[in-house]
Amino acid sequence: EENGHQIKRLKRDADEEDAEDQNKKSPKRKIVLLMAYSGKGYHGMQRNVGSSQFKTIEDDLVSALVQSGCIPENHGEDMKKMSFQRCARTDKGVSAAGQIVSLKVRLIDDILEKINNHLPSHIRILGLKRVTGGFNSKNKCDARTYSYMLPTFAFAHKDHDVQEEVYRLDKETLEKVNKLLACYKGTHNFHNFTSQKGPRDPSAKRYIMEMYCGEPFVRGNIEFAVIKVKGQSFMMHQIRKMIGLVIAIVKGYTTESIIERSWGEEKVDVPKAPGLGLVLERVHFEKYNRRFGNDGLHEPLEWTEEEEKIAVFKEQYIYPTIVNTEREEKSMVNWLNTLSIHDFNSSAVGIQANNKNSKNSSDLEGSDGCDDDSD
């Protein structure tokens, strides 16, 4: 037994020496990492240095980068030292299949394998590419694509007594859902789909490129469907409120005209769908790719070779978590029961009072995504 410990100790010492030698040889380079993770049990993506009670995805990532020898320990404490930038902030419990972070690291041998060895299995680094020295994953991102996986009984009309496991979405209802989701396309004033933004705030205007719901499928006896949305950037809770309002219309709590009304200056009570089911699918760098993708020095930031690994990760970690959590915690069922409380025709004063009351609980969850005003 003692011999065994001694051998382990010698091996560890040798590994540390190898790492030191490697560090001397390896200059720091700007790279991007393609990440996938299941967000359950985490307080979002972004690290809160000095707040260890709320564990984030970046806490585990930074720890793995230090342990693998990619960055010195003091860079983990001050992330600016490695020029760290995540492409999108994700909320408490939100997962990602194609998150991108940019940072400076030592390009050690077998770098992906070494980082992944120090990560839990529900967080994986699936790819790495060299980028220009001034690259910033948030600023250079042109668009983000999110998906939202939900049980289809969410679209059952409120006057129908629904057995969750028996419900199946019919063609006409799916067509209605897609007609409503398509209304969001283009540039609109989304001040009613977030908190702390007034109707005249220019940053409340957002551009949505596409939004649609795919064909339903069955998992664990419950039928699910996936809504995809691609936009330049999203504000806090914006995607969940866009989906929440469509559900309220399809269920018969309010009329289709509320969408148009919500873009006006009037304050509209927009319900926010649960965070479970929201996944950052991919981030887009079209402008960067056009400028640097074929310059002979850098690769375009596309991940076709990693698509299979992304699909496997989703099947293994993201979808089962959404399905099992929905079954156990019934987050959609519980949220649907609150829709009748919303007053879709109420005055601005009434809504402000409601917002004040609900603010304390809801805003702890953070943002759907992506830019400066979304934390």
Side-chain angles (χ1 to χ4, degrees), residues 162-175:
V162 170
Q163 301 293 307
E164 282 94 32
E165 297 203 352
V166 178
Y167 181 83
R168 295 296 178 258
L169 187 66
D170 60 60
K171 198 166 169 261
E172 290 74 26
T173 308
L174 180 59
E175 278 171 10

Side-chain angles (χ1 to χ4, degrees), residues 204-223:
K205 286 206 168 127
R206 299 288 158 135
Y207 175 49
I208 305 298
M209 296 154 189
E210 61 178 6
M211 194 166 187
Y212 64 90
C213 182
E215 289 294 324
F217 52 91
V218 176
R219 291 281 165 105
N221 294 340
I222 299 175
E223 187 181 68

